[in-house]
Amino acid sequence: TSIPGIAPLQFSLDFSFFFQQLDTFATKVDEYITPYGFTKNDIIKVNLKSLNMIIENAPGQTFNFIKDTLVSLKVYVDSFGGTSPKMVAYKDNISRGLTSLNLDVSAEDIKDYFRADYMKILVAFRTQENEGLIDGAKFRVNYTFTVTAKKP
């Protein structure tokens, strides 16, 4: 998944309120839980357990394009076509030169998004002055969820 390239500028761009969509994926909840005798309605809670982002397909590109602020990078989830994103992960103090980030996850329950057929991942950040993002850079997002369900 990619977001549009960002030219190195002498000023910072603010994407902290205008989220950039990073990924949309089919939740495939039924496919994963039906063999265990569960349905979507049996899901009580879903929490993100871990989230890792890796820059791919862009030699030399690092996360230096993100300005190191109080919370440098925020990750949100929303249902496909939804308008109520919920923050599920964040990262402060991003070291320079990194191509992979392990984010801190929140304890937010995202069962309503997880029950949807599709979910989207959005990111919010400010750009670092004089640092750019190569057009066509790909971001691989690896995530692990903990699903709590009641017995049918």
Side-chain angles (χ1 to χ4, degrees):
T1 305
S2 62
I3 56 177
I6 301 169
L9 302 170
Q10 293 180 355
F11 54 88
S12 180
L13 297 174
D14 188 353
F15 294 107
S16 59
F17 297 105
F18 302 102
F19 307 147
Q20 299 295 303
Q21 186 166 329
L22 195 58
D23 194 11
T24 300
F25 60 94
T27 58
K28 299 184 180 182
V29 173
D30 292 322
E31 181 181 322
Y32 292 120
I33 66 175
T34 301
Y36 300 100
F38 294 98
T39 68
K40 286 181 183 179
N41 291 335
D42 298 325
I43 296 173
I44 298 168
K45 184 166 78 169
V46 177
N47 296 100
L48 188 63
K49 186 176 178 181
S50 66
L51 192 143
N52 168 265
M53 291 176 67
I54 300 170
I55 297 175
E56 297 181 330
N57 196 39
Q61 179 65 60
T62 66
F63 282 100
N64 292 359
F65 70 95
I66 297 175
K67 188 176 185 91
D68 194 17
T69 58
L70 182 57
V71 177
S72 303
L73 175 65
K74 295 179 185 176
V75 178
Y76 295 82
V77 296
D78 202 352
S79 56
F80 186 72
T83 58
S84 301
K86 186 177 276 194
M87 189 177 82
V88 294
Y90 60 93
K91 188 67 177 173
D92 333 343
N93 303 315
I94 298 174
S95 299
R96 298 199 44 83
L98 296 178
T99 58
S100 176
L101 288 178
N102 291 315
L103 282 79
D104 300 306
V105 296
S106 70
E108 294 289 333
D109 181 5
I110 58 171
K111 73 175 173 284
D112 294 334
Y113 303 103
F114 202 75
R115 287 179 179 165
D117 291 333
Y118 291 89
M119 202 161 72
K120 59 185 176 182
I121 304 272
L122 306 123
V123 292
F125 58 91
R126 289 184 63 91
T127 61
Q128 176 62 46
E129 294 85 352
N130 301 310
E131 293 283 351
L133 173 62
I134 297 170
D135 193 33
K138 303 277 186 211
F139 294 86
R140 182 171 37 148
V141 181
N142 302 305
Y143 29 80
T144 304
F145 299 98
T146 300
V147 179
T148 305
K150 63 183 176 187
K151 284 190 168 186

